Amino acid sequence: MARNAGSTGPRIRREQRTIAVMMRIYCCDHHGGRDALCASCSELHEYARRRLEICPFQDAKPACNRCEVHCYSAARRDRVKAVMGYAGPRMLLRHPWLSLWHLIDARRPVPRLDRR
Ligand code: SF4
Ligand SMILES: [Zn+2]
């Protein structure tokens, strides 16, 4: 069920912060997007942000790569994977707490949609 932006819980807000940080790191290093994301990264960021906003699992959300729903289009999934693969290790020093939470969240159990 889709939810409004105002109804997202702490888990989703944290993931939205994480993807924003990762997109900044990736765009800065690949496209020179130092002050703002380039148009392509901006579009991808908005797409990912919106996926999180309407994620049916909300605070019980698993890592997207372990999710049974896979709500991303194949092309965007590949792009986000590339962003995370590049920015994940680089985020560690600049945003240690966010990185730690990202690792913890990645190990959370995978809920089944029909049990909710
Ligand atoms: S892939 Fe799964 S966990 Fe990730 S946002 Fe989409 S529905 Fe939620
Ligand atoms: Zn970019």
Side-chain angles (χ1 to χ4, degrees), residues 41-91:
C41 289
S42 187
E43 185 274 333
L44 183 62
H45 177 219
E46 177 55 26
Y47 179 86
R49 197 195 61 73
R50 181 68 182 145
R51 294 291 99 188
L52 287 167
E53 198 173 272
I54 62 173
C55 174
F57 301 109
Q58 291 296 298
D59 277 351
K61 179 189 170 298
C64 289
N65 62 359
R66 298 170 67 209
C67 172
E68 66 174 17
V69 174
H70 284 310
C71 69
Y72 281 63
S73 71
R76 286 190 173 104
R77 195 184 312 164
D78 286 348
R79 285 174 65 199
V80 167
K81 217 165 133 184
V83 169
M84 290 188 152
Y86 180 83
R90 288 162 177 83
M91 193 173 81

Side-chain angles (χ1 to χ4, degrees), residues 4 11-12 16 26 29 41 48 50-51 60 72 91 93 98 103 107 111 113 116:
N4 296 325
R11 172 76 199 285
I12 295 297
Q16 287 178 332
Y26 183 89
D29 291 0
C41 289
R50 181 68 182 145
R51 294 291 99 188
Y72 281 63
M91 193 173 81
L93 283 178
L98 216 46
L103 292 172
R107 282 157 182 74
L113 203 53
R116 290 173 56 82

Side-chain angles (χ1 to χ4, degrees), residues 23 26-28 30-31 33 37-42:
M23 290 294 320
Y26 183 89
C27 187
C28 182
H30 288 80
H31 311 135
L37 297 179
C38 73
S40 169
C41 289
S42 187

